[in-house]
Amino acid sequence: MSDHNLEPDEIVPIETPKRTIKDRAAGLVKAFTTKSGLIGDYDYAFLFRPNIPFMKKDRRVSPFFGLNERMPLLLGLLLGFQHALAMLAGVVSPPIILAGSSGANFSPDVQRYLVSTSLIVCGILSAVQITRFHIWKTPYFVGTGLISVVGTSFAIIPIAQGAFAQMYANGKEAYHFLVGPLAADGTKLPCPEGYGALLGTSVLCALLEIGLSFLPPKLLKKIFPPIVTGPTVLLIGVKLIATGFKNWAGGSGLCASRPADGIFAMCPTINAPHPLPWGSAEFIGLGFSVFVTIILCERFGSPIMKSCAVIIGLFVGCVIAAGTGYFDDTDIKAAPVASFIWVHTFPLTVYPPLILPIMAVYVILACEAIGDITATCEVSRLEVEGKMFDSRIQGGVLADGLNGLLAGLCTNTPMSTFAQNNGVIALTRCANRKAGYGCCFFLIIMGIFSKFAAALVSIPSSVLGGMTTFLFTSVAVSGMRIISTMPFTRRNRFILTAALALGYGATLVPNWFDYFFTYAGGNKALQGLLDAISLIMETGFAVTAFAAMILHGLLVEEAESEDLVDTPEAPEYSAGEEAPSVEADHEKKG
C-alpha cells in the first residue's frame, strides 16, 4: 500500500484558544494567498467520480472536515455550491406554485420576483442558523451553529391553496372577510391582498414557534410525539403529490379540467409555444424524462451528481423541452438584470380562517426542526444528547420561528429547516460551516440575478411536475419514517386509523365540507369563524393533526395481551412419549 493510501481518513476538530482579530486577519490573508489556503490537497476528483459498473473504485476514504476545522477556500465554495444545488428545487417550488394558477394568479413579473426573493431570503436566514448567536445575559441562543440550511416550507402550500380557493369562491359574496377578485367571465385575477393576508397571518403565527423554542426538547417531543407529527407530514406529502401530478400532465390550473373552448382549452394556454390538451402523451413524456434522469443519477452518478440529482433531472427536462419547442424565453428576455427584497410589496393583513391551520404548520415545523437538527448532529459527528445538544435544538427552533417571522416581512412564506442537506454532508464528509456559508453566498447570488429566476419560472409545467412529484413524495416518505419510530401498539394503530381516515378523506374529497354550514348573513366575524372551520376540515393534514392530538390525549396506553399473560414454554417430549392429558395434568397440580 502506498503512502498516499495511508493518509488519515478523518480530520479531527482541534480545540484552539479563542482567536483574536489579528489572528483572523492573518488566516484570511493565508486563505487567499497560499496554495494550502486556496486549494489544499483534497481529492477533488472524488466528488465527480461516477459509479459506473465494472469501473475500478478507489477504496481510500476522503477526509472528514469537522465543524470548525480549517479547509481550503475552493473546497468550501465547491461544497457550498453543491449544498445550494441540493436545496434549489425545494426553495423555488413553493413560490412558483403559490404565485401560479393554483395560487394567487400573479403576473410573470411578480412570479419572478417571488422566486428571486425566496432564494435571497433563504440565503440570508440560513446564515442566521449556521452562525448561532448568543442572547445577551441569557442561557439561550439563536441558531444551531451547524450546516442547518433553511428553505421555503412545503407545508404552507396546501393551506395557502385552500385559502386562495376559498377567497375566490367568496368573490361573488361581499359579506365575506376577504374575497378573491374575479373577471366578468369568472376568470381568476391576481390576488395581492390574499397573498398579503397569507404573509401577515404567517408573521403572527410565527410567535407560536418562537414561544415553543423555550420549552425543553423532551417536553416538545412529549406534547407532539411521532403519532401526531408522522401522519401529519405524510398527509402534507400526499396532498402535494396531487399538485405535482397535475403539472406533470400539463398544468394544475384551469386547463386541467379540459374546457372545450377559451384560453385554457390547451395547456398551459392556447397562446403557449406548443399548446396541447391536458394529459397529452407529450407532456407525460417530458415529465418522465426528468423522473428517469433522477433515477439514473442515483444509480450511476458521482457524489455531487447524487446530491443534485433533482436539479440535473430538471436541467435535462428543460433541454428536451427547449429542443422540441415547449420552452418560451419571452419572460427571460423581459426580466430585469437584478432584483432584491421589497421590489414588490403586498398589504399585510390577518385572515382569521388561516390562523388555526398556520399554527398547526408552525407546530409541525418545530417538530421537523428537532428531527433535522438531530440528524445534522449525527452526520456531523457531534453529540446527540447533553446540554450542548439541547442548546442547539433550542437555538434551531428559535431561529426557525424568527425566520418565519422575518420571511413574512420580506414577502416570503414560512421557512423550515431542510433535511436533504444532511445527505450532502454524509456524501461529501464535510460538516464544516465554511461550506454552509458558501451555500448562503450562492443562494443570494442566484436570487439577485433575476434572469435566473425568470428561467425557473419559464420551465414548462410538465417538466416542473416531474421534478416536484419526486420532491413531494419524499415529504410523504419522511412522514412514514417518523411513524416508523413509534411502537405499533393497539392504541397507536387506533389513533393512526382514526386520524388518517379523516385526513385521507379530506385529501381525496376536498369539497366534502362545502355544504355543512348554511349561514348567509352579514356577520363577518361569524363568517370568518365558519370559513376557518371549513378550511381546517378540508385540509387533510390539519384535520389529521388535530384528531391525532386529541386522541393522543384521551386514550391511555394499555399493555398488549401478550404482555399480560405469562405463557410458559411447552415441555419437550421424546419420540414415542405421549403427552399427559389435560385431566391428568389437573390431577397432578391438585
Side-chain angles (χ1 to χ4, degrees):
M1 185 181 293
S2 65
D3 293 339
H4 182 66
N5 287 335
L6 290 174
E7 293 178 4
D9 68 344
E10 181 174 352
I11 297 177
V12 182
I14 303 170
E15 294 290 337
T16 57
K18 189 174 181 180
R19 299 174 66 194
T20 63
I21 297 178
K22 183 178 179 181
D23 293 334
R24 292 178 184 275
L28 191 63
V29 170
K30 181 180 179 181
F32 282 94
T33 59
T34 64
K35 180 181 178 182
S36 61
L38 280 172
I39 303 175
D41 56 358
Y42 183 79
D43 181 17
Y44 290 91
F46 162 76
L47 295 174
F48 302 94
R49 191 176 296 120
N51 183 21
I52 299 176
F54 311 112
M55 181 178 178
K56 185 178 180 182
K57 297 178 176 61
D58 188 357
R59 295 186 177 183
R60 186 176 70 89
V61 181
S62 61
F64 181 87
F65 288 91
L67 188 64
N68 298 306
E69 190 55 57
R70 293 181 180 179
M71 67 182 298
L73 180 63
L74 177 62
L75 181 61
L77 290 173
L78 181 61
L79 295 181
F81 185 62
Q82 185 175 0
H83 276 282
L85 290 179
M87 62 187 295
L88 180 61
V91 170
V92 303
S93 295
I96 290 176
I97 293 172
L98 293 180
S101 56
S102 59
N105 290 277
F106 286 137
S107 65
D109 185 44
V110 180
Q111 292 182 35
R112 289 193 300 267
Y113 162 75
L114 290 177
V115 171
S116 289
T117 300
S118 181
L119 290 165
I120 295 170
V121 171
C122 289
I124 294 173
L125 298 184
S126 292
V128 173
Q129 276 281 28
I130 295 169
T131 303
R132 183 172 162 84
F133 301 94
H134 179 245
I135 302 176
W136 188 51
K137 291 189 176 180
T138 70
Y140 301 110
F141 289 81
V142 178
T144 63
L146 311 169
I147 306 183
S148 298
V149 294
V150 300
T152 307
S153 173
F154 288 151
I156 197 65
I157 296 176
I159 288 290
Q161 287 179 323
F164 284 127
Q166 191 177 76
M167 293 173 194
Y168 283 116
N170 296 342
K172 298 178 182 179
E173 303 167 354
Y175 58 83
H176 283 275
F177 183 83
L178 182 63
V179 299
L182 297 172
D185 60 354
T187 303
K188 297 176 182 178
L189 300 177
C191 189
E193 291 80 9
Y195 189 78
L198 174 65
L199 296 179
T201 311
S202 299
V203 168
L204 175 65
C205 294
L207 298 175
L208 173 63
E209 188 175 6
I210 293 173
L212 291 174
S213 69
F214 296 102
L215 297 177
K218 290 183 179 179
L219 180 59
L220 274 178
K221 292 179 180 179
K222 187 175 182 180
I223 300 173
F224 308 110
I227 191 68
V228 175
T229 57
T232 305
V233 175
L234 171 63
L235 263 295
I236 291 173
V238 170
K239 176 66 175 178
L240 292 173
I241 290 170
T243 301
F245 238 52
K246 282 184 179 180
N247 279 323
W248 189 333
S252 58
L254 295 177
C255 71
S257 60
R258 293 178 67 107
D261 52 20
I263 190 172
F264 296 107
M266 298 284 186
C267 285
T269 67
I270 59 175
N271 300 321
H274 196 163
L276 291 169
W278 187 87
S280 296
E282 293 88 340
F283 285 148
I284 295 176
L286 280 175
F288 261 112
S289 70
V290 179
F291 198 80
V292 171
T293 301
I294 294 172
I295 296 173
L296 291 176
C297 285
E298 181 63 27
R299 173 59 183 88
F300 301 110
S302 64
I304 199 167
M305 288 180 67
K306 288 182 178 181
S307 59
C308 306
V310 174
I311 290 299
I312 295 174
L314 192 66
F315 176 76
V316 170
C318 288
V319 170
I320 295 173
T324 51
Y326 292 89
F327 208 97
D328 185 3
D329 63 351
T330 304
D331 291 334
I332 302 175
K333 294 177 180 178
V337 175
S339 179
F340 204 69
I341 306 170
W342 301 305
V343 170
H344 291 276
T345 57
F346 308 90
L348 295 182
T349 56
V350 175
Y351 185 52
L354 275 172
I355 293 177
L356 285 177
I358 294 184
M359 288 177 67
V361 167
Y362 275 110
V363 168
I364 298 304
L365 296 184
C367 297
E368 281 186 344
I370 294 174
D372 294 341
I373 294 166
T374 303
T376 305
C377 287
E378 289 177 344
V379 297
S380 301
R381 304 188 182 183
L382 299 172
E383 63 272 16
V384 290
E385 58 183 14
K387 291 184 177 180
M388 176 57 74
F389 172 72
D390 288 344
S391 176
R392 293 191 191 279
I393 294 291
Q394 175 273 313
V397 175
L398 178 56
D400 214 46
L402 288 173
N403 286 347
L405 189 151
L406 294 173
L409 297 178
C410 294
T411 69
N412 203 55
T413 49
M415 317 295 289
S416 66
T417 305
F418 269 23
Q420 57 261 48
N421 292 73
N422 291 330
V424 180
I425 295 174
L427 276 172
T428 61
R429 298 170 59 83
C430 176
N432 196 281
R433 290 194 294 180
K434 288 182 181 177
Y437 289 125
C439 172
C440 298
F441 169 77
F442 284 111
L443 287 175
I444 295 172
I445 293 299
M446 290 175 188
I448 290 176
F449 289 99
S450 58
K451 294 285 188 183
F452 180 75
L456 294 172
V457 172
S458 300
I459 294 174
S461 295
S462 53
V463 175
L464 189 69
M467 179 266 290
T468 54
T469 299
F470 183 88
L471 279 182
F472 296 156
T473 307
S474 71
V475 176
V477 172
S478 296
M480 295 167 61
R481 183 192 63 80
I482 295 172
I483 294 173
S484 69
T485 62
M486 68 179 192
F488 272 74
T489 61
R490 183 184 183 281
R491 170 186 177 272
N492 289 347
R493 292 196 301 270
F494 182 87
I495 294 174
L496 275 178
T497 302
L500 288 175
L502 296 173
Y504 274 123
T507 301
L508 296 173
V509 189
N511 62 340
W512 76 292
F513 211 75
D514 278 354
Y515 310 103
F516 186 85
F517 296 118
T518 57
Y519 177 74
N523 189 331
K524 290 188 177 182
L526 177 58
Q527 188 62 54
L529 175 63
L530 300 181
D531 286 347
I533 296 173
S534 297
L535 187 57
I536 291 174
M537 296 303 295
E538 294 181 355
T539 304
F541 83 83
V543 68
T544 292
F546 285 112
M549 287 177 63
I550 293 170
L551 292 174
H552 175 66
L554 290 177
L555 299 182
V556 180
E557 184 70 70
E558 298 178 357
E560 295 288 285
S561 58
E562 53 265 29
D563 296 332
L564 295 174
V565 181
D566 185 15
T567 306
E569 292 185 3
E572 295 182 0
Y573 300 95
S574 59
E577 185 179 356
E578 186 177 351
S581 64
V582 176
E583 292 80 2
D585 188 53
H586 279 299
E587 290 177 3
K588 184 179 180 181
K589 289 181 179 178

